[in-house]
């Protein structure tokens, strides 16, 4: 089955630790995205990548970092500099060939205490 | 990208049509209207999109007013599984990065 996988579903960390969230897709999509969602709110874009070895900051990139070494993978690191890291994190991908549709993963719920 | 306004929440009886409005009065000529929905604790799911003509697919219908300043998503026979947050998004097709800007959406509650 083609799709996007995110792991783990739930993640717990202590304050001050960096944590990396996984996102993998086998849809052969060029573009990948990371969004953050807080309770009762819409999604906010953290980073996006249109092609391997390239990525751009979204609206709320501070305290986060990404890499895009492979087309299939777009991991997100939540650093200790992110002041309020507890949130629901969603990864998405889309074809750059004029596609209007983004495919989303199931999300990772990160709790930092 | 144009801003959208949606009601915060709506109720609908199971089996009845759910009509979800969206106001996008500042939409420009090359901007499309997209609808996604998000079931609790899952990733958003694409539903439908349109430019100026009404559109229909297996999930829903999209009615866009002639002046394009508003639209309505119609779920013809709502089921309990349609309970979700519905997002109306307006953007230029093929904008840089194909980014989507999600607002608060409408929380649709389908009741038995």
């Amino acid at each position: 089955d083609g799709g996007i996988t995110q792991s783990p579903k739930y993640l717990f960390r202590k304050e001050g630790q960096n944590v990396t969230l996984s996102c993998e897709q086998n849809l052969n999509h060029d573009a990948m995205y990371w969004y953050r969602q807080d309770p009762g709110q819409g999604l906010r874009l953290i980073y996006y990548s249109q092609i391997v070895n390239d990525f751009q900051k979204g609206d709320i990139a501070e305290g986060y970092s990404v890499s895009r070494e492979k087309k299939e993978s777009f991991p997100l690191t939540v650093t200790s500099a992110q002041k309020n890291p507890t949130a629901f994190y969603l990864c998405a991908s889309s074809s750059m060939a004029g596609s209007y549709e983004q495919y989303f993963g199931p999300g990772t719920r990160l709790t930092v205490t | 990208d144009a801003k959208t306004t949606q009601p915060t929440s709506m109720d609908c009886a199971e089996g009845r049509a759910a009509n979800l409005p969206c106001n996008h009065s500042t939409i420009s000529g090359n901007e499309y209207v997209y609808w996604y929905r998000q079931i609790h604790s899952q990733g958003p799911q694409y539903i439908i999109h349109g430019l100026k003509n009404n559109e229909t697919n297996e999930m829903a219908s999209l009615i866009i007013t002639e002046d394009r300043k508003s639209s309505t998503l119609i779920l013809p026979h709502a089921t309990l599984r349609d309970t979700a947050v519905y997002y109306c998004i307006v953007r230029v097709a093929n904008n840089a990065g194909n980014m989507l800007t999600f607002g608060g959406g409408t929380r649709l509650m389908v009741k038995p």
Side-chain angles (χ1 to χ4, degrees), chain A residues 96-110:
Chain A
M96 286 302 294
S99 173
Y100 43 79
E101 183 174 355
Q102 286 190 11
Y103 293 82
F104 283 81
T108 291
R109 191 167 298 279
L110 173 65

Side-chain angles (χ1 to χ4, degrees), chain B residues 18-40:
Chain B
N19 298 289
L20 292 91
C22 180
N23 183 288
H24 32 80
S25 58
T26 58
I27 193 171
S28 51
N30 61 346
E31 289 182 312
Y32 287 70
V33 181
Y34 298 78
W35 283 84
Y36 280 72
R37 74 178 182 185
Q38 185 178 22
I39 295 169
H40 183 61

Side-chain angles (χ1 to χ4, degrees), chain B residues 37 45-48 56-61 74-76 82:
Chain B
R37 74 178 182 185
Q45 175 191 24
Y46 165 81
I47 301 173
I48 199 168
T56 295
N57 63 19
E58 65 278 3
M59 289 183 70
S61 294
I74 300 172
L75 308 178
D82 292 322

Side-chain angles (χ1 to χ4, degrees), chain B residues 5-6 16 34 37 41-42 57 68-69 77 80 89-90 97 101 103 105 109-110:
Chain B
T5 304
Q6 298 178 254
R16 304 298 293 269
Y34 298 78
R37 74 178 182 185
S41 293
Q42 296 182 22
N57 63 19
R68 302 208 325 121
K69 293 185 177 182
H77 305 287
L80 299 179
I89 300 165
V90 175
T101 301
M109 179 73 71
V110 180

Side-chain angles (χ1 to χ4, degrees), chain A residues 17-82:
Chain A
Q17 294 179 332
N18 290 353
V19 59
T20 297
L21 281 58
S22 165
C23 178
E24 304 279 331
Q25 54 99 359
N26 60 3
L27 299 167
N28 200 33
H29 284 169
D30 294 304
M32 297 187 74
Y33 314 81
W34 274 105
Y35 293 88
R36 169 187 172 131
Q37 187 173 37
D38 293 289
Q41 305 295 312
L43 282 66
R44 292 185 290 168
L45 182 66
I46 305 172
Y47 267 98
Y48 67 99
S49 167
Q50 296 178 266
I51 197 168
V52 174
N53 292 322
D54 182 67
F55 48 82
Q56 306 294 328
K57 292 182 179 180
D59 299 322
I60 55 164
E62 186 175 349
Y64 299 97
S65 66
V66 294
S67 63
R68 187 84 186 277
E69 296 176 2
K70 298 186 298 182
K71 189 175 186 178
E72 312 82 59
S73 178
F74 191 40
L76 173 75
T77 296
V78 184
T79 74
S80 57
Q82 168 51 233

